[in-house]
Amino acid sequence: MNSPRHFLTLNDLSRDELLAVLRRASELKQLQRTGMPHASLSGKVMAMIFAKASTRTRVSFEAGMTQLGGSAMFLSSSATQMGRGEPIEDTARVISSMVDIVMIRTFDHEDIQTFAAHSSVPVINALTDDFHPCQLLADMQTWFEHRGDMRGKTACWLGDGNNMCHSYINAAKILGFNLRIACPEGYEPSPSVVAAAGDAVTIEPDPKIAASGAHLLVTDVWASMGQEAEANERNNALQAYQLNRELLDLADAEAIYLHCLPAHRGEEITAELMDDPNSVIWDEAENRLHAQKALVEFLLS
Ligand code: CP
Ligand code: NVA
């Protein structure tokens, strides 16, 4: 079996590779916007395996593959033999013998690692309980397009130390920005993920201190997919970490703010910031399309 390149976390790309993907993402955005053909993946097929809900991820990968001249097929894990207990190893071997690339959104990060270990084609992590690296490509593209190089700048993560937070930690280490994580006790990111980022990351329980002078503020839902039963408890614990005007006013005068969506207005972010005409959150969402097209091109090149 050949050994394909996978994208299970951001750490699967070097700094130079990541920057090249981000540059290509902006190029592809221009090609798309000006109607220039860019069918670099003619005939290539992507299998998209979803064990959790999705709007952006599904639409961006499916539209992106079509725009690149290929195609994508949606597979819900519950409607395939995976839902009836066929081993991941067997599923990976079979699916990867038929398609060129696989995208998976699932619960356990270990499951995607197992799939990748038995896949003869590249596997992309489209969100696990632990990481969401595709969203970070879009976020970094958005930050870069609006404010330029993030090296030496400061980002502030507000709220739950979840899968998105973990991918921000990886990004800070690779791209050379400082990440302050503002979260209450009991909601910290994984100590091993934090430790691997060395001095790129600090945990600051006071959201006002964490946001002060930051160039980027970013948050995410307080209850991720799979944590619905804990929603009330989480809302109470995380209330003080809402991304709002008061925190934005403490940040750098040129600060932008991001949210991967879907958002809960009035919980982790105010309606006012969500609906502010200067918000770049909608660019961030659109950039999922361009960034993932660049990623797929890279992995298949
Ligand atoms: N941000 C994100 O991954 O959105 P979806 O859950 O809609 O795919
Ligand atoms: N942390 C969220 C991100 C959704 C895109 C979740 O895992 O549900």
Side-chain angles (χ1 to χ4, degrees), residues 182-259:
C183 61
E185 210 185 318
Y187 293 86
E188 295 93 349
S190 147
S192 62
V193 176
V194 173
D199 59 9
V201 174
T202 49
I203 306 226
E204 169 49 66
D206 185 334
K208 290 188 181 142
I209 297 175
S212 288
H215 304 96
L216 169 70
L217 299 185
V218 57
T219 192
D220 184 16
V221 292
W222 290 337
S224 286
M225 288 181 274
Q227 299 175 329
E228 290 78 4
E230 301 166 24
N232 283 342
E233 185 190 323
R234 291 177 154 272
N235 285 1
N236 292 334
L238 289 154
Q239 255 175 28
Y241 296 84
Q242 184 189 63
L243 175 47
N244 55 31
R245 181 66 61 189
E246 191 192 350
L247 287 186
L248 189 59
D249 285 344
L250 293 171
D252 183 82
E254 296 287 300
I256 59 166
Y257 55 92
L258 296 174
H259 188 310

Side-chain angles (χ1 to χ4, degrees), residues 53-58 105 127 132 135 225 260-262 288:
S54 168
T55 297
R56 280 144 288 271
T57 303
R58 178 177 177 181
R105 167 169 286 195
L127 185 146
H132 195 4
Q135 184 67 50
M225 288 181 274
C260 64
L261 305 178
R288 292 292 304 278

Side-chain angles (χ1 to χ4, degrees), residues 61-79:
F61 271 115
E62 196 162 334
M65 284 304 292
T66 303
Q67 291 161 8
L68 290 170
S71 62
M73 83 180 63
F74 173 79
L75 300 167
S76 93
S77 36
S78 61

